[in-house]
Structure formats: structure tokens, C-alpha cells
Amino acid sequence: MIYLVLLLGAAVCAFWANDVVFAGFDSQSVPDEIATGLIALRVELGLLCSAILVGTFHFYPLLRRQTLEHGEWREKYETLNQKSQTFQKAALTDPMTGLQNRRYFDDALAQYMEEFSRIERPLGIMLLDIDHFKSINDTHGHDVGDEVIKGLANTIRDYTRHHDIAARVGGEEFAVVAPNVGIAELEKMANRLRLAVSNLVFNLGDTVRLKITISVGIAIWDGEETGAKLYKRADGNLYNAKRGGRNKVCA
């Protein structure tokens, strides 16, 4: 539209110049140089008018159509992008608890290990498991078991920091990547979480109240081992906590 307005302005100026020049001469007494200039001015005026017509009836509809098509494609792209983000989130999130899943946990642990190997800061993980979860399912049903898992997930979310990575890595098993903590701090963090879980109460009716406990295994990365070996070491500590009587943290 700006282009067309500028052309129109140029055409009006050319028409005005033509008028002004003609007004100063008789049609019989126009010098040859002026006459030639006026012919050139009229040709310019004709070209400008042609440019306005071509712009108005060809380029403007073409550009408008392309703009509309671009808008439609952009809208489709944004819709597909939103769907892609939704699918990506679903692929990395546990649907029951809203925490991350094992795939996300493994990727995040690898990225943290790569970064923390450069800055030489401590990196810890903890694995936790609901004690006697099978008996909960067998006694109260899987619906109650699901509520217990959700309640534990919410507690983990409340008792971890915003930069920790909390994930559900198995049926009743959860894992947390805890960056920038030593063994003493990680053990305190795990025990706070363990005590918070032991205070949870699940009301199953007027008289039935269910309480749970968890066992926790923790480990600090030695700066050299792989993520799988670090996970295995924490898992071994979790097994020791189970074997040692449950409802405890083993480092």
C-alpha cells in the first residue's frame, strides 16, 4: 500500500508539472526542447499510471493472497508445534504422578554429570521405594495403591528443590537427582523426606487410616563412574535399607 501511495503521489506531481508547464505557453509557441520534455513527462505519467494499475490489480492481490496463506501456514505450524510439545512432554512425564519418567531422569543425570565434571561440584542421587507396597495393593486394592503413589509423588515434589530432578522410575520406586550437595546434606534431605512420608495419612473410610514408610538409598558421584554405575550404587544402598529393617536411609 505504501508503494502504491508513492506511485500515486509521483503521478499527481507529474500531472501537476505537465499542467504548470502547459499553462505558460501557447500551444503554437512551445519551444522544441520544452515540447520534448513535456512528451517525456507525459510518458512518465503514463508509466506511473500503468505501474499503479499493475500494482493495484496484480501485485496487491498476489501479496494479499500470499499473506493470507502465510497466516494459515503459521497457524498450522503453531498448532503442530503445540501438539509436538504436548507429545514430547507426555513422552517424558509419568502420567499418574506428573513427575518425570525414567527416560527423562537418565537424560537429566547424564547432562548434570557432563556439566558438573567441568565445574567440579558434587552431584548426588537418591532412590526411594515404598515399604511393603505389594501388601497395600493386596489388602486395599490397586486404587488405594495408586493414591499412595500420588501422595508420595506430591511429598517428593514438596521436599525437593526447584533444580532437583524428581522422577518415577518404576512401579513404586522414585529417584531424585540432587546437584551441588555433599553426602551429609543429601542424607539430611533424604531423612526429611522420609519423615514427611511417615507422617502422611491416607483416609480409606470412616475408620480406616493408612500410613506408609519409605526406604532410601543415596550416593554421591565420584566424578568418573557412569550414570548406570552411580544408579546401581544407590540401588545397592536402597537394598541395604530394605534389608536393614526399612524406613531408613542408607548411604
Side-chain angles (χ1 to χ4, degrees):
M1 292 303 298
I2 293 173
Y3 166 76
L4 290 177
V5 169
L6 290 173
L7 282 179
L8 181 61
V12 169
C13 288
F15 185 79
W16 180 35
N18 180 75
D19 236 15
V20 169
V21 172
F22 258 118
F25 296 96
D26 275 340
S27 58
Q28 304 297 325
S29 61
V30 178
D32 292 342
E33 295 85 354
I34 299 296
T36 304
L38 289 174
I39 292 172
L41 193 60
R42 289 171 182 173
V43 170
E44 179 190 0
L45 181 58
L47 291 174
L48 284 171
C49 291
S50 299
I52 292 172
L53 291 173
V54 171
T56 303
F57 295 106
H58 177 70
F59 287 111
Y60 176 71
L62 181 65
L63 290 172
R64 180 175 171 79
R65 185 167 60 251
Q66 289 179 347
T67 302
L68 292 174
E69 289 176 355
H70 176 73
E72 291 174 359
W73 280 111
R74 184 175 181 84
E75 185 178 346
K76 290 178 181 177
Y77 168 77
E78 289 177 351
T79 301
L80 289 173
N81 189 42
Q82 289 175 355
K83 289 182 179 179
S84 176
Q85 291 177 355
T86 301
F87 291 147
Q88 185 177 14
K89 182 179 179 182
L92 299 174
T93 305
D94 175 58
M96 180 187 293
T97 63
L99 296 180
Q100 310 300 336
N101 61 15
R102 177 62 185 270
R103 176 184 170 189
Y104 186 98
F105 175 85
D106 289 340
D107 290 345
L109 179 59
Q111 290 177 12
Y112 264 122
M113 291 172 77
E114 181 181 352
E115 180 63 28
F116 275 54
S117 65
R118 290 196 293 266
I119 63 176
E120 297 182 350
R121 297 294 299 167
L123 177 66
I125 69 169
M126 57 178 165
L127 301 183
L128 49 109
D129 189 272
I130 302 174
D131 297 327
H132 304 295
F133 183 72
K134 185 177 183 303
S135 65
I136 295 174
N137 275 336
D138 293 342
T139 304
H140 303 286
H142 289 278
D143 290 345
V144 173
D146 290 348
E147 290 304 314
V148 168
I149 288 175
K150 292 176 185 176
L152 174 56
N154 290 333
T155 306
I156 293 172
R157 193 180 286 111
D158 291 340
Y159 279 81
T160 51
R161 302 164 300 174
H162 70 277
H163 54 275
D164 295 333
I165 304 296
R168 183 186 178 201
V169 295
E172 71 276 14
E173 189 171 329
F174 295 79
V176 177
V177 179
N180 210 31
V181 292
I183 188 65
E185 293 169 300
L186 184 60
E187 192 166 3
K188 287 180 182 178
M189 182 177 170
N191 272 307
R192 282 198 300 268
L193 176 58
R194 180 184 63 80
L195 290 172
V197 171
S198 67
N199 289 326
L200 288 177
V201 177
F202 297 90
N203 295 312
L204 308 182
D206 295 335
T207 58
V208 181
R209 289 157 57 88
L210 175 65
K211 301 191 73 173
I212 65 170
T213 60
I214 58 172
S215 299
V216 187
I218 63 175
I220 298 293
W221 184 43
D222 65 6
E224 296 180 358
E225 62 191 339
T226 63
K229 288 184 177 179
L230 175 61
Y231 189 96
K232 185 177 181 180
R233 193 150 56 83
D235 194 47
N237 289 329
L238 173 60
Y239 176 76
N240 291 335
K242 291 279 191 183
R243 189 175 58 179
R246 296 181 170 84
N247 190 24
K248 62 171 54 182
V249 175
C250 277

